[in-house]
């Protein structure tokens, strides 16, 4: 009996599991990895199964303890692999790009190591490792194919990521991403729009344009207004109801982008604008190319053009050299900007970054105390901003799996146009993820809204049809293990140590 015959499979077919860490780019890459494996004949491991024939780690390298986390997880799998002939383990993503041969030296039971630039090689490398019975390490130094040109297994039937660029031209001192994903490379606008049109034809009604520095799009193709033109072009795609994008950089956020957001009906009134720090000296040390005045000026222009826009941000607390005065400037910007939500990070050394070697590393106790003050302030502001939504009538796109208590509260959940999470009373008629309901907001909490009255209107959509079709197909085959990562729309607030990179 061969090793494959003896492995635990589904109906004689090899099973797989993808474990994903990190930012939205990694989530998108993992959808492609799943698509590649299914295209090669693998099936997703059933829920509750005792492992899979192939386990893929899609890693992140931006946190100080990222490697410890990976090797700990690999160590847990070692005895399982030893007792399960034919099982394979693959490691990809940013940490694989950085550590390369180190991974198989520290974990010799790993079969495949691949980088951020060659995820399309995974099925070939797995087969080569099986036939040759030795680890395969292949790290491309430059991009071989845009993730969106590869097969995919999307986690949502009604919402999708669309990669418009990869890499980053910035040199932020806390971020290792440019070293691992390379310089920015843009896709052709026609290719992007063709992909969006194909997704809409499949039933997708919401897309999120994705890039490491999404609004720098055009720098590689020589068009400074390419991003605003792309937003306007999305507005002309019939059936595309919602367009979002993440994550922009204040340096590249120009007036033409604000105008395109305001004038394109299906571009949602939501903006994620990473601040990182409100202190000009700290921003300079971070090598961020804007200052407090410029950042607040952008917020003011967006609010003037899009009054109901919900603006979120990323903030790093305790960057090397940050003084109490510097931190107070961050609190000042938070008060002035009145973010709907902030993803707050305690500074963590990123190995290989200039900031990791800087003088003035802040003691953990000081960082923790500042972090708690920031979180308390933002919590207060988030609640106050959410209270302004009470009494408004909003259209929600019904979401899947975003209301953890929906079963016990007899509610459903959805996202407002500005991406706020709303839990609403379940109507008598059937409502599917992807459908649109109209509700009146009756209560506000810091991180969600409630619509406790009856649903005012239900609009069945092609996106709901797509979800229903997929759900029926999924029930006819083994149910898979979900990635367990952020869905389209603003995720819930992250704890101090988060899996995302927060480096835009």
């Amino acid at each position: 009996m061969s090793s494959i015959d003896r492995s635990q499979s589904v109906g004689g077919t090899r099973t797989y599991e993808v474990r994903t860490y990190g930012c939205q780019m990694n989530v998108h890459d993992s959808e492609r990895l799943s698509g590649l494996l299914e295209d090669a004949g693998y099936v997703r491991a059933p829920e509750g199964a005792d492992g899979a024939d192939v386990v893929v780690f899609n890693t992140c390298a931006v946190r100080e303890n990222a490697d410890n986390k990976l090797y700990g997880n690999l160590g847990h799998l070692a005895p399982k692999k030893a007792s399960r002939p034919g099982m394979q383990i693959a490691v990809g993503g940013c940490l694989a790009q950085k550590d390369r041969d180190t991974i198989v030296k520290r974990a010799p039971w790993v079969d495949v190591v691949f980088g951020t630039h060659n995820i399309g090689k995974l099925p070939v490398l797995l087969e080569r490792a099986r036939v040759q019975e030795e680890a395969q390490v292949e790290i491309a130094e430059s991009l071989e194919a845009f993730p969106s040109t590869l097969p995919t297994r999307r986690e949502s039937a009604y919402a999708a990521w669309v990669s418009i660029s990869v890499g980053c031209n910035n040199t932020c001192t806390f971020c290792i991403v440019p070293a691992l994903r390379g310089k920015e490379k843009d896709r052709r606008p026609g290719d992007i729009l063709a992909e969006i049109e194909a997704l809409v034809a499949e039933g997708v009604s919401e897309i999120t344009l994705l890039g490491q520095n999404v609004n720098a799009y055009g720098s590689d193709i020589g068009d400074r207004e390419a991003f605003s033109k792309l937003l306007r072009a999305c507005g002309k795609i019939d059936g595309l109801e919602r367009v979002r994008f993440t994550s922009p950089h204040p340096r590249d956020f120009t007036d033409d982008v604000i105008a395109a957001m305001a004038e394109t009906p299906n571009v949602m009134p939501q903006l994620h604008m990473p601040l990182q720090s409100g202190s000009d000296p700290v921003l300079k040390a971070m090598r961020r190319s804007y200052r407090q005045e410029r950042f607040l000026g952008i917020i003011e222009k967006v609010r003037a053009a899009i009054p109901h826009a919900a603006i979120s941000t990323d903030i790093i607390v305790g960057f090397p050299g940050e003084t109490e005065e510097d931190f107070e400037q961050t609190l000042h910007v938070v008060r002035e900007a009145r973010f709907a939500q902030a993803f707050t990070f305690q500074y963590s050394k990123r190995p290989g970054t200039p900031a990791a070697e800087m003088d003035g590393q802040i003691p953990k106790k000081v960082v923790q105390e500042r972090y708690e003050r920031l979180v308390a302030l933002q919590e207060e502001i988030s609640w106050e901003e959410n209270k302004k939504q009470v009494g408004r009538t909003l259209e929600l796109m019904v979401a899947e799996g975003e209301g953890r208590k929906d079963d016990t509260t007899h509610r459903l959940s959805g996202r407002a146009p500005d991406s706020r999470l709303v839990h609403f009373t379940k109507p008598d008629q059937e409502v599917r993820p992807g459908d649109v309901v109209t509700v009146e907001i009756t209560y506000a909490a810091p991180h969600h809204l409630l619509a406790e009255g009856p649903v005012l209107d239900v609009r069945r959509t092609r996106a709901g049809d797509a979800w229903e079709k997929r759900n029926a197909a999924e029930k006819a085959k083994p149910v898979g293990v979900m990635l367990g990562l952020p869905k389209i729309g603003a995720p819930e607030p992250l704890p101090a140590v988060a899996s995302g990179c927060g480096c835009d």
Side-chain angles (χ1 to χ4, degrees), residues 13-31:
T13 304
R14 301 262 285 165
T15 61
Y16 76 90
E17 176 188 358
V18 178
R19 302 185 186 182
T20 311
Y21 307 92
C23 63
Q24 294 95 333
M25 194 71 74
N26 272 19
V27 179
H28 184 52
D29 285 349
S30 287
E31 290 186 333

Side-chain angles (χ1 to χ4, degrees), residues 25 162-167 209-214 246-248 504:
M25 194 71 74
V162 174
S163 177
I164 69 170
S165 65
V166 295
L209 303 175
L210 186 63
Q212 208 70 54
N213 183 7
V214 70
T246 194
S247 286
D504 297 299

Side-chain angles (χ1 to χ4, degrees), residues 362-504:
I362 310 299
K364 170 67 176 176
K365 183 178 179 180
V366 175
V367 177
Q368 181 67 33
E369 187 273 335
R370 289 177 184 170
Y371 173 80
E372 290 174 359
R373 285 158 56 196
L374 172 62
V375 169
L377 174 61
Q378 182 56 51
E379 193 92 349
E380 178 184 330
I381 292 172
S382 294
W383 199 358
E384 290 173 355
E385 291 301 304
N386 273 0
K387 287 176 181 176
K388 295 177 183 178
Q389 305 299 309
V390 174
R392 291 189 65 195
T393 299
L394 300 175
E395 275 198 339
L396 312 179
M397 182 173 290
V398 181
E400 181 177 26
E402 296 219 56
R404 291 190 296 268
K405 299 180 181 178
D406 283 351
D407 287 340
T408 57
T409 58
H410 303 291
R411 294 186 179 119
L412 297 175
S413 298
R415 291 281 175 178
D418 64 10
S419 200
R420 282 182 166 93
L421 179 63
V422 182
H423 306 300
F424 62 94
T425 302
K426 190 174 183 178
D428 293 333
Q429 65 192 100
E430 180 190 26
V431 178
R432 308 160 302 177
D435 286 340
V436 175
V437 299
T438 304
V439 301
E440 181 179 335
I441 304 303
T442 58
Y443 175 81
H447 305 299
H448 69 268
L449 303 171
L450 292 182
E452 300 164 299
V455 170
L456 304 178
D457 183 60
V458 174
R459 176 164 61 86
R460 292 173 68 86
T461 65
R462 290 172 59 252
D465 295 342
W467 177 89
E468 189 170 30
K469 181 178 179 180
R470 174 192 274 200
N471 202 44
E474 290 293 327
K475 287 180 179 178
K477 65 181 182 180
V479 178
V481 178
M482 300 298 284
L483 292 177
L485 280 128
K487 304 214 171 25
I488 299 299
E492 295 187 19
L494 297 173
V497 179
S499 59
C501 64
C503 54
D504 297 299

Side-chain angles (χ1 to χ4, degrees), residues 175-186:
C175 181
I176 198 171
V177 168
L180 302 179
R181 290 193 177 265
K183 292 293 185 181
E184 180 176 326
K185 187 170 180 59
D186 296 334

Side-chain angles (χ1 to χ4, degrees), residues 211-261:
Q212 208 70 54
N213 183 7
V214 70
N215 62 319
Y217 176 74
S219 62
D220 181 49
I221 57 179
D223 185 352
R224 293 175 61 88
E225 295 189 351
F227 186 63
S228 61
K229 292 175 182 176
L230 182 62
L231 291 178
R232 292 182 186 276
C234 287
K236 299 176 182 178
I237 297 177
D238 188 39
L240 180 59
E241 298 196 17
R242 295 187 173 192
V243 177
R244 307 185 191 277
F245 57 89
T246 194
S247 286
H249 191 293
R251 182 195 67 183
D252 304 297
F253 207 79
T254 49
D255 291 349
D256 61 297
V257 174
I258 297 173
M261 291 178 65

Side-chain angles (χ1 to χ4, degrees), residues 15 52 55 61 84 117 134 151 156 165 177 206 235 253 269 276 279 284 338 346 399 428 450 454 467 482 493-494:
T15 61
V55 178
R84 181 173 181 164
H117 298 311
E134 64 179 12
S156 170
S165 65
V177 168
E206 175 177 311
F253 207 79
Q276 307 303 4
S279 162
K284 183 178 180 181
R338 301 196 64 80
Q346 295 187 29
D428 293 333
L450 292 182
W467 177 89
M482 300 298 284
L494 297 173

